[in-house]
Amino acid sequence: MKPSRRDFLKKASIAGVALAAPHLWLPVTREAWGATLNKGEPIKVGLLFSLTGGLAVPEEDSTLVMQYAIDEINAAGGIAGSPIEPVIVDAKSDFNVYSEKAKELILRNKVIALFGCYTSASRKAILPTVMSQNHLLYYPTCYEGAECTQNTICTGPLANQHSKDLIPFMVEKFGKKVFFVGSNYVWPKESNKNAKIWLQNAGGELLGEEYIPLGSSEFGPVLNKIRQAKPDFIFSTVVGASDIAFHKQFKQEGFKVDEMPIASLTTGEIETKAMGNEFGAGHFLSAPYFQNLESPTNAKFVESFLKSKYGKNGTTHYNMEETYLSAYVFKAGIEKAIAQFGVEEVTPRKIRDVSGGIKVSADISPEGEIWIDEQNFNTWLVPKIGQCQADGSFKIVKTASEHVAPDPYSIYADIGKCSANGLVAPDGKVRKNVI
C-alpha cells in the first residue's frame, strides 16, 4: 500500500546540512514519497552537477555525457518501454546548493535516482537527505572510501584502485622522496592517509604535505616549499580550477617535469585541455579510463560522443566515462527491479538492493567490462596509469593484470567491512549508513 501524503508529512524528515566527519551514523527513515514508477510514463532522474564555478571543468562534462547516455538508451527503446527524463540542476560549485537541490529533486521533482557530485564534500552535503529519504545516489567518480551507506552506488575507483598502484610506480621510476599537495577537504586528506601507507610500503619518504583552499589559485607559497624540499615527484589531489592553476604555475615557476613530475588522481584530458597541453605534458594520472584506450567500444564511444551535440568540449576523460557507466548500471538495475517487483513497486532503495553483481559488458563500457560489488556497491575495475603527451592525450604506461576489488576500508580493517546491510564491525555488530 502506497503511503499517503499525510503519512509522509508526519513521518519524513530531511537532514540538510553537509557532514564532513567520517564514520558518522545516520538513521534511515522511510522511502521518499512519490519516488515510484508508472508504466509508460517517463522515468525521471536528477542530474546534480556544477555547470558554473570552480568545479564546472569536470562536472559540466558529467552533465553532458549523462544526456548523451540517456539519449542513447532512449533511442534503443528506453527502459521497459519508458524514456528516461533528466531533470538538470546547476549546483554552482556551492555545497549549500548541492544540499538544497538534492531535496528539491527528491521531494518536488520526485526523481527515482540522483546522479551527481564530483567532490566528497558535495557528496557528503547531500547524503543526509538521500539517506533520510531512503533514496539513491549514483556517485560517478573516484573517492576516498571509509564510507558504507545503503543508498549509494559508485562507479569510480577507490584509493586501493588508483593510488595503491600509482605511488609505488612513481617511487620506482623517479625516486623515494615525495611532496603531497591537495585541495583542503575530506577527499584529499583521506586519500593521502591511504597514500602514506602505500608510500611507506614502497620505501618512500614524505617530505611535506600542504592543502590549498578549494577553488584557490595561489600556489606560490606551496611551490616555494617544494623548491626547498626538492622531492623526486609531487603527489597531487588538487581538484577543479585549482588543479589547472597548480599545473600552470608549476611550469611558470621553472620546475622541470622530467626532474619532478606531478602524479595526480584528477588531472585528465579535460583539465589538460583547459590549462593548455604544454602545462600537462609529462605528468602522470592514475585512472581506469583514458581516451586513448585501444578497444572497438572505446573508439566508437569517443567518435560518437565527440560528434554529438554533447561533445562540445572536444575530449573524453575518466570522470565522464565513469558517469556514462553509471547510466548503464542504472538501466540494468531498474530493469532487474522491474522484473523482480513489477513497475509500480520499484523504489530507489529496491533498485539499489538488486544492483549488486550487475555488469556493464565490454561492448558497452569504454574501459572494458566492469561490475558492481555485491556487498559494498562500488565497482570492480582495471586500474591504469597514463602519462600526458605533448598533444594532451595520455599514453597508458601501466595496466593492472586483472580487475581489482573495491575496498572502502582498505586501511581501516579494525573498523570493519562494508556489507550490503551495513558496516560489520569485528565484533559482528552492524551499523547502517556510516559516512
Side-chain angles (χ1 to χ4, degrees):
M1 184 171 114
K2 291 185 179 179
S4 69
R5 181 171 176 81
R6 179 176 296 175
D7 288 337
F8 165 73
L9 292 171
K10 181 178 179 182
K11 297 179 181 179
S13 63
I14 306 170
V17 294
L19 298 172
H23 321 311
L24 179 68
W25 177 84
L26 287 170
V28 169
T29 55
R30 44 150 297 113
E31 202 83 43
W33 184 80
T36 55
L37 302 182
N38 293 300
K39 190 172 183 179
E41 294 184 4
I43 299 169
K44 295 173 73 173
V45 298
L47 308 190
L48 183 55
F49 298 101
S50 289
L51 305 178
T52 55
L55 297 175
V57 171
E59 292 199 32
E60 181 189 35
D61 275 0
S62 293
T63 301
L64 292 169
V65 80
M66 271 301 298
Q67 293 175 85
Y68 173 81
I70 288 169
D71 284 358
E72 199 172 60
I73 291 168
N74 287 345
I79 299 175
S82 293
I84 304 173
E85 178 183 314
V87 182
I88 300 170
V89 171
D90 179 9
K92 302 179 181 180
S93 302
D94 185 321
F95 303 136
N96 290 326
V97 176
Y98 281 100
S99 178
E100 292 166 5
K101 295 302 182 181
K103 296 173 191 176
E104 287 184 16
L105 287 166
I106 292 172
L107 298 170
R108 182 180 300 170
N109 299 110
K110 298 180 175 59
V111 299
I112 197 72
L114 296 176
F115 296 79
C117 306
Y118 173 70
T119 67
S120 288
S122 55
R123 185 185 72 254
K124 289 181 182 293
I126 73 171
L127 275 178
T129 295
V130 172
M131 293 188 295
S132 69
Q133 295 304 302
N134 212 0
H135 214 268
L136 177 59
L137 168 66
Y138 288 83
Y139 184 67
T141 191
C142 60
Y143 79 112
E144 68 279 359
E147 208 170 84
C148 186
T149 86
Q150 285 62 69
N151 301 93
T152 55
I153 296 174
C154 303
T155 52
L158 290 163
N160 76 297
Q161 295 171 308
H162 50 24
S163 60
K164 189 174 184 178
D165 284 346
L166 182 58
I167 292 290
F169 173 85
M170 296 299 294
V171 168
E172 180 182 352
K173 296 293 182 182
F174 297 99
K176 297 180 179 181
K177 297 179 179 180
V178 190
F179 200 104
F180 286 3
V181 182
S183 295
N184 192 13
Y185 71 102
V186 62
W187 175 71
K189 291 184 176 181
E190 191 65 33
S191 293
N192 284 343
K193 289 180 183 178
N194 286 266
K196 287 174 187 176
I197 291 176
W198 317 143
L199 180 62
Q200 182 179 8
N201 292 345
E205 179 185 357
L206 181 61
L207 301 183
E209 183 175 3
E210 292 289 327
Y211 294 95
I212 304 300
L214 193 62
S216 175
S217 60
E218 178 49 64
F219 286 89
V222 172
L223 289 170
N224 285 336
K225 291 181 180 180
I226 291 172
R227 195 186 304 277
Q228 293 172 7
K230 299 179 180 179
D232 296 312
F233 69 93
I234 299 166
F235 179 67
S236 172
T237 48
V238 180
V239 304
S242 298
D243 186 26
I244 294 165
F246 179 47
H247 279 75
K248 292 181 77 170
Q249 290 174 38
F250 173 92
K251 185 176 179 67
Q252 290 165 351
E253 288 291 324
F255 289 92
K256 305 296 183 182
V257 68
D258 56 339
E259 297 175 357
M260 189 193 301
I262 299 171
S264 174
L265 302 181
T266 58
T267 314
E269 291 89 343
I270 190 65
E271 289 84 2
T272 302
K273 188 175 181 67
M275 72 177 72
N277 296 343
E278 68 272 24
F279 298 106
H283 298 298
F284 291 84
L285 170 70
S286 176
Y289 172 83
F290 294 91
Q291 182 172 302
N292 275 0
L293 185 64
E294 294 183 2
S295 76
T297 301
N298 186 47
K300 179 182 177 182
F301 169 68
V302 172
E303 180 180 11
S304 299
F305 177 76
L306 294 183
K307 285 183 177 179
S308 76
K309 62 183 179 181
Y310 303 113
K312 66 175 187 175
N313 290 329
T315 189
T316 63
H317 54 94
Y318 74 94
N319 193 67
M320 61 169 292
E321 189 264 354
E322 291 158 8
T323 307
Y324 178 78
L325 293 180
S326 71
Y328 279 92
V329 172
F330 169 72
K331 177 179 182 292
I334 203 167
E335 287 173 344
K336 191 173 178 181
I338 288 171
Q340 186 168 334
F341 303 110
V343 172
E344 295 188 355
E345 296 302 318
V346 172
T347 63
R349 178 57 186 269
K350 287 178 180 176
I351 298 170
R352 179 269 184 188
D353 287 347
V354 302
S355 290
I358 279 176
K359 291 186 177 182
V360 181
S361 60
D363 62 338
I364 294 174
S365 169
E367 70 182 65
E369 183 180 66
I370 59 96
W371 62 90
I372 304 301
D373 189 85
E374 293 184 354
Q375 292 301 315
N376 60 49
F377 291 82
N378 290 274
T379 302
W380 287 67
L381 47 79
V382 178
K384 303 170 185 70
I385 298 172
Q387 184 178 27
C388 188
Q389 305 298 294
D391 64 355
S393 68
F394 280 75
K395 177 183 178 181
I396 299 175
V397 295
K398 183 177 180 180
T399 301
S401 59
E402 59 185 3
H403 285 78
V404 174
D407 186 357
Y409 289 89
S410 58
I411 66 169
Y412 295 114
D414 57 326
I415 291 178
K417 195 170 183 65
C418 186
S419 75
N421 295 317
L423 180 64
V424 182
D427 62 4
K429 292 182 179 179
V430 179
R431 290 186 297 154
K432 295 184 180 297
N433 287 335
V434 179
I435 65 171

Short mmCIF file of all heavy atoms in Angstrom, two decimals, residues 160-174 198 202 283-290 292-294 367 381-389 394-402 404:
data_model
loop_
_atom_site.label_atom_id
_atom_site.label_comp_id
_atom_site.label_asym_id
_atom_site.label_seq_id
_atom_site.Cartn_x
_atom_site.Cartn_y
_atom_site.Cartn_z
N ASN A 160 42.33 2.07 -3.06
CA ASN A 160 43.06 0.84 -3.35
C ASN A 160 43.04 0.47 -4.83
O ASN A 160 43.66 -0.50 -5.24
CB ASN A 160 42.50 -0.32 -2.52
CG ASN A 160 41.18 -0.86 -3.04
OD1 ASN A 160 40.17 -0.13 -3.07
ND2 ASN A 160 41.16 -2.10 -3.47
N GLN A 161 42.34 1.29 -5.64
CA GLN A 161 42.26 1.04 -7.07
C GLN A 161 42.98 2.10 -7.90
O GLN A 161 42.93 2.05 -9.12
CB GLN A 161 40.80 0.96 -7.51
CG GLN A 161 40.04 -0.21 -6.89
CD GLN A 161 38.56 -0.14 -7.18
OE1 GLN A 161 37.92 0.89 -6.93
NE2 GLN A 161 38.01 -1.22 -7.70
N HIS A 162 43.62 3.09 -7.24
CA HIS A 162 44.46 4.01 -8.03
C HIS A 162 45.75 4.40 -7.31
O HIS A 162 46.82 4.07 -7.79
CB HIS A 162 43.70 5.23 -8.55
CG HIS A 162 42.89 6.01 -7.59
ND1 HIS A 162 43.11 6.04 -6.25
CD2 HIS A 162 41.85 6.86 -7.82
CE1 HIS A 162 42.25 6.86 -5.68
NE2 HIS A 162 41.48 7.37 -6.60
N SER A 163 45.71 5.06 -6.16
CA SER A 163 46.98 5.47 -5.55
C SER A 163 47.80 4.28 -5.08
O SER A 163 49.04 4.37 -4.98
CB SER A 163 46.72 6.43 -4.38
OG SER A 163 45.93 5.83 -3.38
N LYS A 164 47.18 3.17 -4.82
CA LYS A 164 47.92 1.98 -4.39
C LYS A 164 48.88 1.51 -5.47
O LYS A 164 49.96 0.96 -5.17
CB LYS A 164 46.95 0.85 -4.02
CG LYS A 164 47.64 -0.35 -3.35
CD LYS A 164 46.63 -1.36 -2.87
CE LYS A 164 47.32 -2.49 -2.12
NZ LYS A 164 46.35 -3.49 -1.60
N ASP A 165 48.53 1.71 -6.73
CA ASP A 165 49.43 1.40 -7.84
C ASP A 165 50.33 2.58 -8.20
O ASP A 165 51.51 2.42 -8.53
CB ASP A 165 48.62 1.02 -9.09
CG ASP A 165 48.06 -0.38 -9.01
OD1 ASP A 165 48.50 -1.15 -8.15
OD2 ASP A 165 47.18 -0.71 -9.82
N LEU A 166 49.76 3.80 -8.14
CA LEU A 166 50.49 4.97 -8.61
C LEU A 166 51.70 5.30 -7.74
O LEU A 166 52.78 5.61 -8.28
CB LEU A 166 49.54 6.18 -8.64
CG LEU A 166 50.11 7.49 -9.16
CD1 LEU A 166 50.64 7.34 -10.59
CD2 LEU A 166 49.07 8.60 -9.10
N ILE A 167 51.57 5.23 -6.43
CA ILE A 167 52.67 5.59 -5.54
C ILE A 167 53.89 4.70 -5.78
O ILE A 167 55.00 5.22 -6.02
CB ILE A 167 52.22 5.56 -4.07
CG1 ILE A 167 51.22 6.69 -3.79
CG2 ILE A 167 53.42 5.64 -3.13
CD1 ILE A 167 51.80 8.09 -3.80
N PRO A 168 53.78 3.37 -5.71
CA PRO A 168 54.99 2.56 -5.94
C PRO A 168 55.54 2.69 -7.36
O PRO A 168 56.75 2.61 -7.56
CB PRO A 168 54.53 1.13 -5.65
CG PRO A 168 53.05 1.17 -5.69
CD PRO A 168 52.64 2.54 -5.30
N PHE A 169 54.67 2.93 -8.34
CA PHE A 169 55.13 3.14 -9.71
C PHE A 169 56.03 4.37 -9.78
O PHE A 169 57.12 4.34 -10.38
CB PHE A 169 53.93 3.32 -10.64
CG PHE A 169 54.29 3.72 -12.05
CD1 PHE A 169 54.62 2.76 -12.99
CD2 PHE A 169 54.30 5.06 -12.43
CE1 PHE A 169 54.96 3.12 -14.30
CE2 PHE A 169 54.64 5.44 -13.72
CZ PHE A 169 54.97 4.47 -14.65
N MET A 170 55.60 5.46 -9.16
CA MET A 170 56.38 6.70 -9.20
C MET A 170 57.67 6.57 -8.40
O MET A 170 58.72 7.09 -8.81
CB MET A 170 55.54 7.86 -8.67
CG MET A 170 54.31 8.19 -9.50
SD MET A 170 54.68 8.70 -11.20
CE MET A 170 55.53 10.26 -10.92
N VAL A 171 57.63 5.89 -7.27
CA VAL A 171 58.83 5.68 -6.46
C VAL A 171 59.87 4.90 -7.27
O VAL A 171 61.06 5.24 -7.29
CB VAL A 171 58.50 4.95 -5.14
CG1 VAL A 171 59.77 4.46 -4.45
CG2 VAL A 171 57.72 5.87 -4.21
N GLU A 172 59.42 3.87 -7.95
CA GLU A 172 60.34 3.05 -8.74
C GLU A 172 60.94 3.84 -9.90
O GLU A 172 62.14 3.72 -10.21
CB GLU A 172 59.60 1.82 -9.28
CG GLU A 172 60.47 0.91 -10.13
CD GLU A 172 59.72 -0.27 -10.71
OE1 GLU A 172 58.54 -0.49 -10.33
OE2 GLU A 172 60.29 -0.99 -11.56
N LYS A 173 60.12 4.67 -10.57
CA LYS A 173 60.57 5.37 -11.77
C LYS A 173 61.36 6.64 -11.46
O LYS A 173 62.27 7.00 -12.22
CB LYS A 173 59.36 5.73 -12.63
CG LYS A 173 58.59 4.53 -13.19
CD LYS A 173 59.41 3.76 -14.20
CE LYS A 173 58.60 2.61 -14.79
NZ LYS A 173 59.40 1.82 -15.75
N PHE A 174 61.02 7.34 -10.35
CA PHE A 174 61.58 8.67 -10.15
C PHE A 174 62.30 8.87 -8.83
O PHE A 174 63.11 9.79 -8.70
CB PHE A 174 60.47 9.72 -10.30
CG PHE A 174 59.88 9.75 -11.67
CD1 PHE A 174 58.69 9.09 -11.93
CD2 PHE A 174 60.53 10.40 -12.70
CE1 PHE A 174 58.15 9.10 -13.21
CE2 PHE A 174 60.00 10.41 -13.99
CZ PHE A 174 58.80 9.75 -14.25
N TRP A 198 50.83 3.42 1.30
CA TRP A 198 51.44 2.85 0.08
C TRP A 198 52.88 3.36 -0.06
O TRP A 198 53.77 2.63 -0.50
CB TRP A 198 50.66 3.24 -1.17
CG TRP A 198 49.15 3.17 -1.13
CD1 TRP A 198 48.29 4.04 -1.74
CD2 TRP A 198 48.31 2.21 -0.49
NE1 TRP A 198 46.99 3.70 -1.50
CE2 TRP A 198 46.97 2.57 -0.74
CE3 TRP A 198 48.55 1.07 0.30
CZ2 TRP A 198 45.88 1.85 -0.26
CZ3 TRP A 198 47.47 0.35 0.80
CH2 TRP A 198 46.17 0.74 0.52
N ALA A 202 56.37 1.19 -0.05
CA ALA A 202 57.29 1.27 -1.19
C ALA A 202 58.67 1.77 -0.79
O ALA A 202 59.55 1.92 -1.66
CB ALA A 202 56.70 2.18 -2.27
N HIS A 283 53.33 14.82 -17.15
CA HIS A 283 52.80 14.45 -15.84
C HIS A 283 51.98 13.15 -15.92
O HIS A 283 51.65 12.68 -17.01
CB HIS A 283 51.95 15.58 -15.27
CG HIS A 283 52.73 16.85 -15.03
ND1 HIS A 283 53.79 16.90 -14.16
CD2 HIS A 283 52.62 18.11 -15.56
CE1 HIS A 283 54.30 18.13 -14.15
NE2 HIS A 283 53.61 18.88 -14.99
N PHE A 284 51.62 12.61 -14.76
CA PHE A 284 51.00 11.28 -14.69
C PHE A 284 49.62 11.33 -14.03
O PHE A 284 49.35 12.18 -13.18
CB PHE A 284 51.90 10.33 -13.91
CG PHE A 284 53.19 9.98 -14.61
CD1 PHE A 284 54.28 10.82 -14.51
CD2 PHE A 284 53.30 8.82 -15.37
CE1 PHE A 284 55.47 10.52 -15.16
CE2 PHE A 284 54.48 8.51 -16.02
CZ PHE A 284 55.57 9.36 -15.91
N LEU A 285 48.78 10.39 -14.43
CA LEU A 285 47.44 10.24 -13.86
C LEU A 285 47.14 8.76 -13.68
O LEU A 285 47.44 7.94 -14.56
CB LEU A 285 46.39 10.85 -14.79
CG LEU A 285 44.91 10.55 -14.45
CD1 LEU A 285 44.50 11.29 -13.17
CD2 LEU A 285 43.99 10.92 -15.60
N SER A 286 46.54 8.42 -12.56
CA SER A 286 46.02 7.07 -12.35
C SER A 286 44.51 7.10 -12.50
O SER A 286 43.84 7.90 -11.85
CB SER A 286 46.38 6.55 -10.96
OG SER A 286 45.80 5.28 -10.74
N ALA A 287 43.97 6.27 -13.38
CA ALA A 287 42.53 6.22 -13.65
C ALA A 287 42.21 4.92 -14.37
O ALA A 287 43.09 4.31 -14.99
CB ALA A 287 42.10 7.42 -14.50
N PRO A 288 40.94 4.50 -14.35
CA PRO A 288 40.58 3.28 -15.08
C PRO A 288 40.33 3.51 -16.56
O PRO A 288 40.20 2.55 -17.32
CB PRO A 288 39.29 2.83 -14.38
CG PRO A 288 38.71 4.08 -13.82
CD PRO A 288 39.86 4.97 -13.47
N TYR A 289 40.26 4.80 -16.97
CA TYR A 289 39.93 5.11 -18.36
C TYR A 289 40.78 6.27 -18.88
O TYR A 289 41.02 7.24 -18.17
CB TYR A 289 38.46 5.49 -18.50
CG TYR A 289 38.11 6.00 -19.89
CD1 TYR A 289 37.84 5.12 -20.93
CD2 TYR A 289 38.08 7.37 -20.16
CE1 TYR A 289 37.55 5.58 -22.21
CE2 TYR A 289 37.79 7.84 -21.44
CZ TYR A 289 37.53 6.94 -22.46
OH TYR A 289 37.26 7.40 -23.72
N PHE A 290 41.22 6.13 -20.14
CA PHE A 290 41.85 7.21 -20.89
C PHE A 290 41.27 7.22 -22.29
O PHE A 290 40.89 6.17 -22.83
CB PHE A 290 43.37 7.01 -20.96
CG PHE A 290 44.06 7.10 -19.63
CD1 PHE A 290 44.26 5.96 -18.86
CD2 PHE A 290 44.50 8.32 -19.15
CE1 PHE A 290 44.90 6.05 -17.63
CE2 PHE A 290 45.14 8.41 -17.91
CZ PHE A 290 45.34 7.27 -17.15
N ASN A 292 42.66 7.45 -25.06
CA ASN A 292 43.48 6.68 -26.00
C ASN A 292 43.39 5.17 -25.78
O ASN A 292 44.09 4.41 -26.47
CB ASN A 292 44.94 7.11 -25.91
CG ASN A 292 45.23 8.31 -26.78
OD1 ASN A 292 44.35 8.84 -27.45
ND2 ASN A 292 46.48 8.76 -26.77
N LEU A 293 42.58 4.72 -24.85
CA LEU A 293 42.43 3.29 -24.61
C LEU A 293 42.01 2.59 -25.89
O LEU A 293 41.05 2.97 -26.55
CB LEU A 293 41.38 3.06 -23.52
CG LEU A 293 41.16 1.63 -23.04
CD1 LEU A 293 42.41 1.09 -22.37
CD2 LEU A 293 39.97 1.57 -22.08
N GLU A 294 42.76 1.56 -26.26
CA GLU A 294 42.53 0.89 -27.53
C GLU A 294 41.52 -0.25 -27.38
O GLU A 294 41.81 -1.28 -26.78
CB GLU A 294 43.84 0.36 -28.10
CG GLU A 294 44.83 1.45 -28.48
CD GLU A 294 46.10 0.90 -29.12
OE1 GLU A 294 46.19 -0.32 -29.29
OE2 GLU A 294 46.99 1.71 -29.44
N GLU A 367 35.86 1.40 -20.97
CA GLU A 367 37.07 0.95 -20.29
C GLU A 367 37.18 -0.57 -20.22
O GLU A 367 38.16 -1.09 -19.70
CB GLU A 367 37.15 1.53 -18.88
CG GLU A 367 36.14 0.98 -17.90
CD GLU A 367 36.24 1.64 -16.53
OE1 GLU A 367 35.98 2.85 -16.43
OE2 GLU A 367 36.59 0.92 -15.57
N LEU A 381 37.12 -2.86 -11.24
CA LEU A 381 37.66 -2.26 -12.45
C LEU A 381 39.15 -2.58 -12.59
O LEU A 381 39.76 -3.17 -11.70
CB LEU A 381 37.41 -0.75 -12.47
CG LEU A 381 37.75 0.04 -11.20
CD1 LEU A 381 39.25 0.33 -11.09
CD2 LEU A 381 36.98 1.34 -11.16
N VAL A 382 39.70 -2.19 -13.72
CA VAL A 382 41.12 -2.43 -14.01
C VAL A 382 41.88 -1.10 -13.91
O VAL A 382 41.73 -0.24 -14.78
CB VAL A 382 41.32 -3.05 -15.40
CG1 VAL A 382 42.81 -3.25 -15.69
CG2 VAL A 382 40.57 -4.38 -15.51
N PRO A 383 42.69 -0.89 -12.87
CA PRO A 383 43.44 0.36 -12.73
C PRO A 383 44.48 0.52 -13.84
O PRO A 383 45.05 -0.47 -14.33
CB PRO A 383 44.13 0.21 -11.37
CG PRO A 383 43.32 -0.81 -10.63
CD PRO A 383 42.86 -1.76 -11.68
N LYS A 384 44.73 1.78 -14.21
CA LYS A 384 45.71 2.10 -15.24
C LYS A 384 46.46 3.37 -14.86
O LYS A 384 45.95 4.18 -14.09
CB LYS A 384 45.02 2.29 -16.60
CG LYS A 384 44.19 1.09 -17.05
CD LYS A 384 43.34 1.40 -18.26
CE LYS A 384 42.43 0.25 -18.61
NZ LYS A 384 41.34 0.06 -17.62
N ILE A 385 47.65 3.54 -15.41
CA ILE A 385 48.43 4.75 -15.21
C ILE A 385 48.79 5.30 -16.59
O ILE A 385 49.24 4.55 -17.47
CB ILE A 385 49.70 4.49 -14.40
CG1 ILE A 385 49.33 4.00 -13.00
CG2 ILE A 385 50.56 5.75 -14.30
CD1 ILE A 385 50.52 3.52 -12.18
N GLY A 386 48.56 6.60 -16.79
CA GLY A 386 48.88 7.22 -18.06
C GLY A 386 49.81 8.41 -17.88
O GLY A 386 49.80 9.07 -16.83
N GLN A 387 50.61 8.68 -18.91
CA GLN A 387 51.47 9.88 -18.91
C GLN A 387 51.00 10.81 -20.00
O GLN A 387 50.79 10.40 -21.15
CB GLN A 387 52.94 9.52 -19.13
CG GLN A 387 53.86 10.73 -19.04
CD GLN A 387 55.32 10.37 -19.22
OE1 GLN A 387 55.66 9.38 -19.86
NE2 GLN A 387 56.21 11.17 -18.63
N CYS A 388 50.81 12.08 -19.64
CA CYS A 388 50.32 13.06 -20.59
C CYS A 388 51.36 13.35 -21.67
O CYS A 388 52.55 13.54 -21.38
CB CYS A 388 49.96 14.35 -19.85
SG CYS A 388 49.12 15.57 -20.89
N GLN A 389 50.90 13.40 -22.91
CA GLN A 389 51.76 13.64 -24.06
C GLN A 389 51.67 15.10 -24.50
O GLN A 389 50.85 15.87 -24.01
CB GLN A 389 51.38 12.70 -25.19
CG GLN A 389 51.38 11.22 -24.81
CD GLN A 389 52.75 10.71 -24.37
OE1 GLN A 389 53.67 10.65 -25.17
NE2 GLN A 389 52.88 10.36 -23.09
N PHE A 394 46.88 10.93 -23.35
CA PHE A 394 47.64 10.17 -22.36
C PHE A 394 48.08 8.82 -22.95
O PHE A 394 47.28 8.09 -23.52
CB PHE A 394 46.81 9.92 -21.11
CG PHE A 394 46.76 11.11 -20.19
CD1 PHE A 394 45.98 12.21 -20.48
CD2 PHE A 394 47.51 11.13 -19.01
CE1 PHE A 394 45.92 13.31 -19.64
CE2 PHE A 394 47.46 12.23 -18.16
CZ PHE A 394 46.67 13.32 -18.48
N LYS A 395 49.36 8.54 -22.78
CA LYS A 395 49.90 7.23 -23.14
C LYS A 395 49.79 6.32 -21.92
O LYS A 395 50.30 6.65 -20.85
CB LYS A 395 51.35 7.35 -23.58
CG LYS A 395 52.01 6.02 -23.92
CD LYS A 395 53.48 6.22 -24.27
CE LYS A 395 54.16 4.89 -24.56
NZ LYS A 395 55.61 5.07 -24.88
N ILE A 396 49.10 5.20 -22.07
CA ILE A 396 48.96 4.27 -20.95
C ILE A 396 50.28 3.54 -20.75
O ILE A 396 50.77 2.85 -21.65
CB ILE A 396 47.80 3.28 -21.19
CG1 ILE A 396 46.49 4.06 -21.31
CG2 ILE A 396 47.72 2.28 -20.04
CD1 ILE A 396 45.30 3.20 -21.67
N VAL A 397 50.88 3.72 -19.57
CA VAL A 397 52.19 3.14 -19.30
C VAL A 397 52.13 1.94 -18.37
O VAL A 397 53.11 1.21 -18.22
CB VAL A 397 53.14 4.21 -18.72
CG1 VAL A 397 53.41 5.31 -19.75
CG2 VAL A 397 52.57 4.83 -17.43
N LYS A 398 50.98 1.73 -17.74
CA LYS A 398 50.82 0.55 -16.89
C LYS A 398 49.35 0.20 -16.79
O LYS A 398 48.50 1.08 -16.61
CB LYS A 398 51.40 0.77 -15.49
CG LYS A 398 51.31 -0.47 -14.61
CD LYS A 398 51.96 -0.28 -13.25
CE LYS A 398 51.85 -1.55 -12.42
NZ LYS A 398 52.47 -1.40 -11.08
N THR A 399 49.03 -1.07 -16.91
CA THR A 399 47.67 -1.57 -16.74
C THR A 399 47.70 -2.76 -15.79
O THR A 399 48.55 -3.65 -15.93
CB THR A 399 47.08 -2.02 -18.09
OG1 THR A 399 47.08 -0.93 -19.00
CG2 THR A 399 45.65 -2.53 -17.93
N ALA A 400 46.82 -2.78 -14.82
CA ALA A 400 46.74 -3.91 -13.89
C ALA A 400 46.43 -5.19 -14.66
O ALA A 400 45.77 -5.17 -15.70
CB ALA A 400 45.69 -3.67 -12.82
N SER A 401 46.90 -6.30 -14.15
CA SER A 401 46.76 -7.58 -14.85
C SER A 401 45.35 -8.15 -14.74
O SER A 401 44.97 -9.03 -15.52
CB SER A 401 47.77 -8.59 -14.31
OG SER A 401 47.58 -8.79 -12.92
N GLU A 402 44.56 -7.65 -13.79
CA GLU A 402 43.21 -8.16 -13.60
C GLU A 402 42.36 -7.10 -12.90
O GLU A 402 42.86 -6.08 -12.44
CB GLU A 402 43.23 -9.45 -12.77
CG GLU A 402 43.86 -9.27 -11.39
CD GLU A 402 43.98 -10.58 -10.64
OE1 GLU A 402 43.63 -11.62 -11.20
OE2 GLU A 402 44.42 -10.54 -9.47
N VAL A 404 40.43 -5.27 -10.04
CA VAL A 404 40.74 -5.09 -8.62
C VAL A 404 39.43 -4.82 -7.87
O VAL A 404 38.63 -3.97 -8.26
CB VAL A 404 41.72 -3.93 -8.41
CG1 VAL A 404 41.94 -3.66 -6.92
CG2 VAL A 404 43.05 -4.24 -9.09
#
